[in-house]
Amino acid sequence: MSEAAFATRLLLNGQLLVALVAVVALLALGLLGVAMASRPAGRSLIYGGALAVTLVAGLSALTAIAAPPAGIVLPLGIPWIGAHLRLDALSAFFLAVVNLGGAAASLYGLGYGRHDHAPARVLPFFPAFLAGMNMVLLADDAYTFLLSWEFMSLASWALVVAHDKEAGNVRAGLVYILMASFGTLALMLAFGLLAAGSGGGYAFDAMREAPPVGIAAALVLALAMLGAGSKAGLVPLHVWLPLAHPAAPSHVSALMSGVMTKVAVYGFIRIVLDLSGPPDWWWGIPVLAAGGVAAVIGVLQALLQNDIKRVLAYSTIENIGLVFVGLGLALAFSANGFPAAAALALTAALFHVLNHAAMKSLLFFGAGAVLTATGTRQMEDLGGLIHRMPVTSAVMLIGCAAISALPPLNGFASEWLVFQAVLLSPDLPAWGLRLMVPAVGALMALAAALAAACFVRLYGIAFLGRARSPNAAEAHEVDAFSRAAMIALAAVCVGAGLLPGLFIDALQPAVAGLIGETMPSQRSVAWLSIIPVAESRSSYNALLVFGFSAVSALIAAVVIHRFASRAVRRAPPWDCGFPNASPLAQYSAASFAQPIRRVFARGLFAARETVEMPPPGALTPARISTSARDPAWAFLFLPLTAAVGAVAERANKLQYLTIRQYLGLVFSALVLLLLVLALWT
């Protein structure tokens, strides 16, 4: 082995060692949080320690993306098998997303945690949650993966119910843990099918050598979509997100929405694109359908909400749908012999994973800042915050513009790449895909337009206009730690938007490991443009868009100031015949969304408007209230709950049987088991 190769191998082992030490350090911080939670220095120690650990682990993971894979087997877990751990380009990328997002949440927690009235319920589980996500990404066998997955779920559940005295939080925790348990069960069955083909081997290497085929492969795909989709928030398995995210503290909500859902995306990619072998031609169809439906349903639901954190939770469903559209395109192109197009689609999905982690964490931090300053998350009680919270307003504007896919920010860059992959679909040979992909592209376009309306609504109602309540009128800017975390994420949104080619090139080792092909290098393209396929087809230059916008704004400002009258004229605004209008007469969140609610939500969400008009002479005001239902609850989970209750009621009679009846049941079960074994062999 040459000196250069030895140095590379040594560096790689060092990166894996850093990741393992980070997990141990986070677990130690969790134990320390139990003892230090009630002390004044506990918050600074736990969040400061988590910040240092995740920052080092995230930077180390960035350097590991382009390095060869490294693995290790620890003498833990199942006897004679051990715990297999591996660091490759894919896991290194997601480790960077998780730990840099964790570092931002830790920095935010240093300030936001001062207002937490139950630190003993948060501080021990916050670093444990980060450790669980890191272990999922390092796992290289089914047992370690599932154990880490369940640890991650339990730690996040504890954070969801940390403020258990607040209305609805216990129910949110119950729904979340039920969906998490269902997802774990589905993943366990998927790994069982993968292990069956490898002769019972739990290690991922054994599964890669003998991937499933036929019906077994189709079942693995379905179970992976159920297991990972329930954690990521795919429709109709999304019902826990709008309950759990508002219940958790805001920096935990940012981790769950911006980071934990990406761990679920990693689980799907690892199982379907890595362990299951070459995909069949049709695998992309259900993934595309699920992604397109989630994108539209998520953003429509977001437009119906008045709680800022519920808006952001439903927006996460939309963006997870966009990620799965990219993954579905990657599966479709890869299965049909278009590796270059598959590399483009997978790059777009991974780039959006990074972008959404930054955008959504920033927006949840902003929601937490608003909650701290005003004591409410209801948009109807806000307004005028741009005057009292200038820093928060500025970074929230960047976040809202980015997640609305406005150029030259990062949300536009990744969504544009997904659309470029959609435009390659006419080359696909299967008619099903050639019909499905344009339909999904149309759903994406609709979702993008609705997302822009959604975040214009959120920002306009919460930050512009006049204060609608005394709390909003007396709001103040948040602490320096919270502002620093938001500014850092806003800088990521701007940087990834202006220089997308650098991020695209950095993703190619992970793409090559799964597809066997990469996108063309973007660093050599003139003027830092990006050319996903060929210059004759399409190209995008964010710096040019930014420069044009800046110069146009500057010219407009100069012309206005040069030729406009300098005379100052003051006059009352047009008041439509109602002088001294109350701030409550401004556009509200409900009135802003009314046209969209009437067009899209009447049938799908059973949206209704109820007007209470007082009789003539009464002094009570007229009121309008809106209501909507989630079709997943109405048509799936409530009937399922009723069916389970009915079966349980009937099964309750089994506890009153006689000893002879019990023996008869045991004998019948034994005969049935022997019969199944005989038929199986």
Side-chain angles (χ1 to χ4, degrees):
M1 181 181 297
S2 66
E3 293 183 2
F6 178 77
T8 301
R9 187 69 177 270
L10 184 62
L11 176 63
L12 182 62
N13 290 335
Q15 291 158 341
L16 181 58
L17 179 62
V18 168
L20 293 176
V21 170
V23 171
V24 174
L26 289 170
L27 292 175
L29 282 173
L31 295 176
L32 187 62
V34 176
M36 298 292 294
S38 59
R39 299 185 182 182
R43 172 184 53 82
S44 299
L45 181 62
I46 301 303
Y47 287 127
L51 170 61
V53 171
T54 52
L55 192 59
V56 171
L59 295 175
S60 175
L62 286 175
T63 65
I65 294 177
I72 190 173
V73 180
L74 300 179
L76 303 171
I78 301 178
W80 302 292
I81 295 179
H84 296 73
L85 305 176
R86 187 170 183 261
L87 182 63
D88 59 9
L90 181 67
S91 57
F93 165 69
F94 279 92
L95 276 172
V97 172
V98 166
N99 285 293
L100 295 180
S106 301
L107 178 60
Y108 187 86
L110 284 170
Y112 184 82
R114 298 173 183 171
H115 312 284
D116 196 339
H117 59 271
R121 293 174 174 266
V122 176
L123 291 180
F125 299 105
F126 180 82
F129 182 31
L130 291 171
M133 291 190 287
N134 276 269
M135 276 302 298
V136 171
L137 302 176
L138 291 173
D140 196 38
D141 65 74
Y143 177 80
T144 305
F145 185 98
L146 291 172
L147 181 66
S148 304
W149 185 277
E150 195 67 5
F151 184 82
M152 172 186 71
S153 300
L154 291 173
S156 54
W157 168 81
L159 291 168
V160 168
V161 298
H163 300 157
D164 60 318
K165 298 299 187 291
E166 297 181 11
N169 286 10
V170 173
R171 177 174 177 266
L174 176 61
V175 173
Y176 173 55
I177 200 65
L178 287 175
M179 294 303 299
S181 301
F182 169 77
T184 303
L185 174 62
L187 291 177
M188 186 184 302
L189 295 175
F191 281 122
L193 290 172
L194 290 169
S198 61
Y202 287 97
F204 288 171
D205 283 339
M207 296 177 183
R208 290 187 188 96
E209 294 175 359
V213 295
I215 297 178
L219 288 175
V220 169
L221 174 64
L223 291 169
M225 289 186 66
L226 291 174
S230 65
K231 184 71 73 178
L234 281 180
V235 176
L237 307 174
H238 66 284
V239 292
W240 64 270
L241 272 87
L243 299 175
H245 289 184
S250 294
H251 58 311
V252 176
S253 301
L255 277 182
M256 294 181 69
S257 185
V259 176
M260 186 185 71
T261 55
K262 310 310 178 297
V263 177
V265 171
Y266 165 83
F268 179 83
I269 294 174
R270 180 64 75 188
I271 293 173
V272 176
L273 275 78
D274 185 20
L275 303 181
S276 298
D280 286 337
W281 70 268
W282 59 268
W283 281 20
I285 294 178
V287 181
L288 283 166
V293 170
V296 174
I297 294 293
V299 72
L300 280 175
Q301 284 277 33
L303 276 162
L304 302 180
Q305 309 303 315
N306 293 328
D307 184 319
I308 292 181
K309 293 179 75 172
R310 284 179 66 88
V311 171
L312 299 179
Y314 277 114
S315 170
T316 294
I317 299 168
E318 178 225 348
N319 283 274
I320 288 297
L322 297 178
V323 171
F324 271 83
V325 168
L327 297 178
L329 289 169
L331 285 170
F333 286 124
S334 178
N336 289 277
F338 296 93
L344 168 60
L346 183 57
T347 299
L350 294 180
F351 193 21
H352 200 67
V353 162
L354 172 64
N355 290 337
H356 182 253
M359 297 183 298
K360 193 51 62 69
S361 297
L362 169 59
L363 291 170
F364 267 110
F365 290 168
V370 171
L371 176 61
T372 300
T374 65
T376 182
R377 304 190 307 256
Q378 298 299 319
M379 286 190 286
E380 307 286 14
D381 297 330
L382 301 174
L385 296 181
I386 193 172
H387 303 293
R388 286 163 286 278
M389 304 176 68
V391 176
T392 300
S393 300
V395 295
M396 281 291 284
L397 179 60
I398 293 174
C400 289
I403 206 164
S404 300
L406 297 181
L409 298 173
N410 58 342
F412 175 83
S414 52
E415 289 195 33
W416 183 79
L417 285 178
V418 177
F419 276 109
Q420 296 307 306
V422 168
L423 294 176
L424 298 177
S425 62
D427 296 332
L428 291 169
W431 278 102
L433 288 168
R434 294 173 71 176
L435 294 174
M436 171 66 74
V437 176
V440 171
L443 291 177
M444 285 181 57
L446 175 62
L450 293 173
C454 176
F455 285 95
V456 167
R457 170 178 177 261
L458 186 152
Y459 192 84
I461 300 299
F463 290 92
L464 304 182
R466 299 163 63 190
R468 295 175 177 83
S469 67
N471 287 341
E474 299 170 2
H476 54 83
E477 191 58 89
V478 291
D479 59 273
F481 289 114
S482 300
R483 295 198 304 270
M486 291 189 288
I487 291 172
L489 290 176
V492 172
C493 293
V494 174
L498 293 179
L499 303 171
L502 302 181
F503 291 83
I504 291 171
D505 285 347
L507 293 172
Q508 296 316 301
V511 173
L514 296 170
I515 302 297
E517 183 74 28
T518 63
M519 282 183 60
S521 175
Q522 306 298 314
R523 295 181 184 178
S524 58
V525 179
W527 301 101
L528 295 176
S529 298
I530 56 174
I531 302 175
V533 181
E535 190 172 4
S536 58
R537 295 184 66 105
S538 60
S539 64
Y540 168 64
N541 190 305
L543 290 175
L544 183 61
V545 173
F546 175 74
F548 177 79
S549 302
V551 171
S552 299
L554 181 62
I555 292 175
V558 170
V559 170
I560 291 173
H561 283 280
R562 175 66 179 85
F563 296 103
S565 173
R566 297 183 178 275
V568 177
R569 183 178 61 179
R570 296 185 180 276
W574 175 250
D575 54 25
C576 299
F578 294 93
N580 301 320
S582 166
L584 298 179
Q586 302 175 100
Y587 255 77
S588 65
S591 61
F592 191 102
Q594 185 185 64
I596 296 175
R597 182 170 61 246
R598 289 181 173 180
V599 172
F600 292 101
R602 281 189 178 274
L604 183 60
F605 303 116
R608 297 292 181 267
E609 299 174 358
T610 303
V611 178
E612 300 177 11
M613 187 65 68
L619 299 179
T620 56
R623 298 185 181 277
I624 181 172
S625 60
T626 61
S627 63
R629 71 184 181 193
D630 190 329
W633 279 112
F635 299 113
L636 178 60
F637 292 106
L638 290 180
L640 182 62
T641 302
V644 170
V647 171
E649 186 67 27
R650 292 180 178 275
N652 189 45
K653 299 177 181 179
L654 293 177
Q655 62 179 321
Y656 301 109
L657 299 181
T658 64
I659 186 65
R660 293 181 180 179
Q661 291 171 318
Y662 282 128
L663 291 174
L665 285 176
V666 172
F667 180 75
S668 300
L670 180 61
V671 171
L672 180 62
L673 178 61
L674 292 174
L675 180 62
V676 170
L677 290 175
L679 294 175
W680 184 268
T681 55

